[in-house]
Amino acid sequence: MAIRHLMSPLDFTVEETEKLLDLAGDIERHPEKYSRICEGKRIATLFYEPSTRTRLSFEAAMMNLGGKVLGFHSEDSSSAAKGESVSDTIRIVSCYADIAAMRHPKEGAPLVASLKSGIPVINAGDGGHQHPTQTLTDMLTIRSLKGRLDHLKIGLCGDLKFGRTVHSLIESLSRYEGVSFVLISPEELRVPSYVRNGMLAKNIPFEEVVKLDEDTMSGLDILYMTRVQRERFFNEADYVRMKDFYILDRDKMDVAPKDMCVLHPLPRVNEISVEVDDDPRACYFRQAKYGVYARMALILTLMEIEVK
Ligand code: NCD
């Protein structure tokens, strides 16, 4: 049987995605049912770029399923530092583990690895391209906060050019009826043309604006804040000019819709002031918790393990 990988959120149909989110919901409600289901299985976390949530939540996910974890957390602690290709690395890792999650600064690296892999490969973030498991996390969060994934008005704010979580989330939610987007960014950090063309092709209503104010936030169900992706900038001066472009603070929250949930994939730098953390509409820390359930469900789905 063909091995199934996850490179983009569109690798799953809407039905498959719903099924996975349902499974994540069941895991959240009945963790004990799943606590030994991956006994004897291993996940390899192959991280060529820094990570806190994604790597640790993959590892926690496998441990919660009764499995084990191996891997590396930086390029210099692996043979990549000696010049080994991702294709060779994954061939080797296929002998040691049953599934792998790979984060890499180069767009497409996990895809290249998947072509030579003997085990399922999960894209845990490839450069400024895609981040499908953050999207599963975001969708699980949105569904649990709002009770639906359709008929939502979603504002995405910050670095929409390099922010891979934004690209994956837009592509995924564009498949749901009645979804519209307000894209809030400096001119230089607008979504890449492939993302914009995808929305145009599907007739998804969206507007691109620069200011984050009462007007742009009006009617939003979700405001998805993002960090300016320093590591993807060609020069530091541009980053410095952009980095504090948006700061969501208490004054802004005062004029935001009363039922607007604020999400952020984290890490945050300055774009959400800490004074917002106590606002009941601030949901980003809860969102991080959903990442474990989403990844547990994903591991089971790709490994084709069913609970009896
Ligand atoms: C995001 C990422 O790595 O793209 N972080 C995460 O996985 N939660 C967002 C970011 O780094 O800004």
Side-chain angles (χ1 to χ4, degrees):
M1 261 224 311
I3 299 168
R4 194 148 190 207
H5 310 285
L6 178 68
M7 295 298 130
S8 137
L10 303 188
D11 291 349
F12 286 131
T13 63
V14 172
E15 293 69 32
E16 285 171 330
T17 308
E18 295 285 329
K19 203 172 154 204
L20 195 149
L21 298 179
D22 289 343
L23 176 59
D26 194 59
I27 292 170
E28 181 189 5
R29 285 186 299 277
H30 307 289
E32 67 293 341
K33 246 168 70 184
Y34 299 88
S35 64
R36 301 178 64 173
I37 194 165
C38 281
E39 252 173 22
K41 304 284 185 206
R42 292 170 187 195
I43 189 167
T45 50
L46 313 174
F47 277 58
Y48 297 80
E49 250 194 1
S51 168
T52 300
R53 269 149 298 272
T54 305
R55 186 170 63 85
L56 297 186
S57 66
F58 264 116
E59 297 185 354
M62 189 49 128
M63 289 176 193
N64 291 348
L65 295 166
K68 293 204 163 83
V69 171
L70 67 165
F72 51 82
H73 54 77
S74 72
E75 179 153 4
D76 22 297
S77 65
S78 77
S79 279
K82 302 179 188 168
E84 186 170 61
S85 67
V86 290
S87 305
D88 282 0
T89 301
I90 199 73
R91 281 189 174 193
I92 305 309
V93 170
S94 299
C95 308
Y96 306 153
D98 304 281
I99 187 164
M102 178 183 284
R103 167 169 291 190
H104 203 286
K106 285 210 181 95
E107 289 81 6
L111 177 65
V112 170
S114 72
L115 301 175
K116 294 284 184 218
S117 181
I119 56 176
V121 178
I122 299 164
N123 176 5
D126 63 327
H129 185 218
Q130 295 279 334
H131 194 342
T133 64
Q134 181 63 45
T135 293
L136 292 172
T137 304
D138 299 339
M139 291 171 86
L140 189 61
T141 310
I142 295 171
R143 208 175 72 160
S144 86
L145 293 170
K146 295 286 175 191
R148 62 182 194 280
L149 289 166
D150 51 9
H151 298 96
L152 290 170
K153 187 171 176 188
I154 296 163
L156 297 120
C157 176
D159 186 347
L160 310 186
K161 179 180 182 187
F162 297 117
R164 53 196 175 194
T165 65
V166 167
H167 309 155
S168 292
L169 187 58
I170 291 177
E171 289 194 341
S172 232
L173 290 177
S174 292
R175 300 191 292 183
Y176 288 82
E177 220 182 285
V179 166
S180 62
F181 299 107
V182 181
L183 306 176
I184 309 153
S185 75
E187 303 262 349
E188 295 97 317
L189 297 180
R190 286 184 170 178
V191 288
S193 51
Y194 81 95
V195 176
R196 181 179 303 106
N197 292 340
M199 288 185 284
L200 290 171
K202 291 196 188 104
N203 280 323
I204 307 293
F206 72 95
E207 47 181 320
E208 295 186 289
V209 298
V210 175
K211 273 199 170 153
L212 175 66
D213 58 15
E214 183 170 4
D215 242 19
T216 41
M217 288 191 289
S218 138
L220 288 186
D221 297 293
I222 303 283
L223 175 62
Y224 192 94
M225 296 295 296
T226 63
R227 160 182 83 89
V228 176
Q229 307 278 301
R230 180 181 201 161
E231 63 276 37
R232 317 250 180 258
F233 275 70
F234 292 112
N235 77 67
E236 182 72 8
D238 283 345
Y239 168 72
V240 170
R241 196 160 48 81
M242 269 351 143
K243 73 182 171 75
D244 292 330
F245 208 94
Y246 300 107
I247 299 181
L248 183 67
D249 56 15
R250 208 177 274 152
D251 288 347
K252 286 210 161 56
M253 288 304 283
D254 283 345
V255 296
K258 296 287 162 259
D259 59 350
M260 181 190 84
C261 296
V262 180
L263 299 185
H264 191 309
L266 302 177
R268 109 176 107 186
V269 186
N270 280 330
E271 58 281 355
I272 303 180
S273 161
V274 287
E275 67 191 23
V276 174
D277 294 356
D278 296 330
D279 189 301
R281 293 167 291 177
C283 303
Y284 29 92
F285 291 117
R286 261 183 281 167
Q287 182 184 0
K289 199 162 167 223
Y290 285 112
V292 179
Y293 306 128
R295 292 183 174 98
M296 287 170 78
L298 177 64
I299 291 170
L300 294 178
T301 303
L302 292 181
M303 291 177 64
E304 300 183 354
I305 297 174
E306 279 188 36
V307 193
K308 304 272 173 334

